[in-house]
Structure formats: structure tokens, C-alpha cells
Amino acid sequence: MSEPPATNPAATSFPAPYITLPLGLAVLRTYSGALICLEILFGGLVWILVASSGVPVPLLQGWVMFVSLTTFFLSSMYLSLFVTGLADRINTDWNVLDVVYHFWALLFYFAAFLLEAATTAANGGAQSKLNSNATVQCITPPQGNIFTVLNEKQYGINVAATIFAFVVTLCYGCSMAMGFKRWRM
């Protein structure tokens, strides 16, 4: 009876990382790299705009702040791994990781977009008229059960945040679609 040869655990090798995106600054010249830069730029704008509005509806806008801040840092780290070339040293299938990350980011950002749009739309034309002492004289309630009272500045900032949240959602959707295409090739 012969026994099979014992395997040497030190001789075990891992497959090389599977990357189809270029490393270094060349990644910024691809559509995926450009979209990640747009995700970071517009995601940062959403974060800044919601924070500058004073977060008048913290229950809804808290999620928007969480998603925009988290995806801003995760996308920055993801891009920095490719720019610095560290992605080549981490043994993983980067195409699968790309699709999974962008799927969850798309899902969370779509929910954040809907909540920011709901916050803005809940104002629904409710206008507060101020007298000379800066006190509210009359509030015209909008149609519906839920409404918020935003001043003109907050309303404008929330409209801009809603538009940029939609743009970021589209960027994450395009990134996911391109990542899926790279994964399936």
C-alpha cells in the first residue's frame, strides 16, 4: 500500500488576482475610472448639500447622510487601490468585487435619492409668510398627510441635493453595468 505524497502547505499557491482595469493613473482614462471619479465628486456634493441644509428632517436625511458619506469614502478607497497599484497585491477577483460593491451602492443610493426627493416634495408648496418680527403668520398646508416646512434656502439646497443624488445613482448604475460586462467577459 502506498500512501499519497503529503502536500507541503508552504507550496500551496493562490491564483493571481483577476483584474481587467489598468493600474496606476491609467485607470482614470477608462470609463469605469471616470465614473468612479464622478461618483466621488457628486457624492461629496450630496453630502455637503444635505449637511448645509441643516438637516431639517433628520429621520429621512440621516440615511442620505450615512449613504453619501459611506460611499464617498468607500469609492475613494476603491479608486486609490487602483491608482496606487495595490489592487495587484491583493488576491481577489476584482471584477466580482466591483459588481457586488456597485450593486449595493446603487441600491443604497437609490433609497437615499428617494428619501431626499420625499423630503423635498413633502414641502409641497407649503409657504410660511413672515411678518416684520420674523414670526410665522400663516402656513398653507400642502395636499397630503406628511409635509415639511422648509425655508427657501433649505428648499433650494434640497432640490440640488435631490438632483445630484439622482446623478450619483445613475453613475453607480452605469458602473455596475460595466462591471457586470467585464465580469462576464
Side-chain angles (χ1 to χ4, degrees):
M1 278 182 142
S2 68
E3 293 181 25
T7 59
N8 183 359
T12 304
S13 65
F14 294 98
Y18 188 65
I19 305 171
T20 55
L21 285 174
L23 298 174
L25 292 177
V27 74
L28 299 176
R29 287 181 278 201
T30 64
Y31 288 121
S32 294
L35 277 172
I36 293 172
C37 289
L38 289 176
E39 293 163 5
I40 294 168
L41 175 71
F42 292 136
L45 278 173
V46 170
W47 171 30
I48 291 168
L49 287 169
V50 172
S52 69
S53 73
V55 191
V57 187
L59 185 62
L60 300 179
Q61 291 180 311
W63 177 255
V64 178
M65 289 288 290
F66 169 74
V67 168
S68 62
L69 185 63
T70 303
T71 56
F72 176 82
F73 284 116
L74 288 176
S75 292
S76 297
M77 287 189 317
Y78 184 72
L79 184 62
S80 67
L81 284 173
F82 282 98
V83 170
T84 60
L86 291 175
D88 195 30
R89 296 182 184 184
I90 301 172
N91 293 321
T92 188
D93 189 352
W94 285 98
N95 292 330
V96 172
L97 187 68
D98 185 39
V99 172
V100 169
Y101 168 67
H102 283 101
F103 171 76
W104 285 107
L106 172 67
L107 187 68
F108 285 171
Y109 236 109
F110 184 69
F113 159 68
L114 290 178
L115 290 175
E116 184 62 30
T119 301
T120 306
N123 192 48
Q127 298 175 0
S128 56
K129 299 177 184 173
L130 303 175
N131 62 15
S132 61
N133 295 336
T135 59
V136 177
Q137 279 184 325
C138 177
I139 294 177
T140 308
Q143 307 282 0
N145 296 332
I146 301 171
F147 70 94
T148 60
V149 179
L150 306 172
N151 61 32
E152 289 181 30
K153 181 181 175 186
Q154 287 175 327
Y155 184 74
I157 290 172
N158 279 315
V159 167
T162 302
I163 292 168
F164 283 119
F166 180 71
V167 170
V168 175
T169 303
L170 287 178
C171 287
Y172 277 113
C174 290
S175 289
M176 186 191 71
M178 287 194 303
F180 186 74
K181 193 174 182 181
R182 270 193 316 273
W183 178 45
R184 283 297 181 201
M185 290 176 85

